[in-house]
Amino acid sequence: RKKKQKRTAKREMIPNRISLEKRPKRGEHAEGDLFVSPIKTGVQRSGAIVCVPSAQLLVGRMIENKKPATMAQAIRQIDSEISIDDLTMDNGLENKNHEQFGIPTYFADPHSPWQKPHVENSIGLLRRWFIKKGTNLQTISDHKLQEYLHILNGKYRKSLGYQSAYEAAIKRGIIQE
């Protein structure tokens, strides 16, 4: 015989989620994401990265776990360092407390990393140059991550008119000297 199935309401993963389509056209937008250790290592330590596309500026923190409260604290710290109008994130459970970020947060469609390409590319650069895929992030200190981000932000880029991300960010008022 067939077992009777329970009819439960659809579970809302991220409460009060605002779609990326509703983001204002003007303003200093930023994209955020998390890069993690491989599951096989059993390590929860991750890196929270925010990229400001207009200046290609990278700011980030190592966080001890992927809990929403830890992510909210990291984003608040990052937001205190830079001047941005809103943030675009993916639909990971670490972003559940997005209302505590202290900044308007918009979400890309599920399984659509191309809607936040700058942060995905930046994490790719970090992985290619410094932190290879499969690396246990327990071995990477926050100080070391800051060094890596400093090197990437100091590179002169053709897309910025041969300026570094730091120079472009200062010019746009994203960071202060």
Side-chain angles (χ1 to χ4, degrees):
R1 289 186 181 182
K2 256 185 157 179
K3 288 190 174 185
K4 194 172 182 179
Q5 293 182 358
K6 290 184 180 180
R7 300 283 178 208
T8 57
K10 188 174 178 184
R11 188 171 64 160
E12 188 174 6
M13 302 300 266
I14 299 178
N16 303 325
R17 179 187 175 282
I18 304 170
S19 175
L20 184 59
E21 296 166 357
K22 296 182 181 172
R23 184 179 74 180
K25 299 288 183 218
R26 296 188 184 271
E28 202 62 64
H29 308 299
E31 301 171 358
D33 205 356
L34 202 65
F35 70 98
V36 296
S37 291
I39 295 172
K40 66 182 177 189
T41 61
V43 174
Q44 289 291 312
R45 190 169 169 90
S46 307
I49 301 291
V50 172
C51 177
V52 183
S54 61
Q56 296 184 6
L57 180 73
L58 290 173
V59 186
R61 293 272 171 279
M62 292 303 288
I63 57 177
E64 291 306 314
N65 54 48
K66 296 188 288 186
K67 292 182 180 175
T70 310
M71 185 66 170
Q73 182 182 6
I75 296 296
R76 280 194 305 270
Q77 287 177 348
I78 290 170
D79 184 38
S80 68
E81 295 175 16
I82 58 177
S83 175
I84 52 176
D85 295 326
D86 58 61
L87 186 61
T88 302
M89 301 294 277
D90 57 12
N91 294 286
L93 284 178
E94 67 274 3
N95 302 323
K96 189 174 183 178
N97 293 350
H98 65 92
E99 293 168 329
Q100 297 174 8
F101 288 177
I103 186 167
T105 306
Y106 299 92
F107 291 90
D109 295 330
H111 312 292
S112 302
W114 58 85
Q115 292 180 341
K116 46 186 191 63
H118 298 94
V119 74
E120 298 291 346
N121 181 47
S122 300
I123 290 173
L125 286 176
L126 233 101
R127 291 264 189 217
R128 185 180 314 140
W129 289 9
F130 306 112
I131 307 169
K132 300 290 182 213
K133 195 165 180 104
T135 302
N136 179 349
L137 293 181
Q138 198 70 40
T139 62
I140 307 295
S141 68
D142 192 53
H143 178 72
K144 205 71 174 158
L145 177 68
Q146 298 307 319
E147 280 182 31
Y148 298 153
L149 295 177
H150 179 71
I151 292 168
L152 288 174
N153 287 331
K155 280 181 50 70
Y156 291 97
R157 299 177 187 235
K158 185 177 179 181
S159 61
L160 295 174
Y162 298 100
Q163 293 180 319
S164 71
Y166 285 135
E167 292 168 348
I170 290 169
K171 196 177 279 187
R172 294 185 67 92
I174 298 167
I175 59 174
Q176 275 67 42
E177 287 187 71

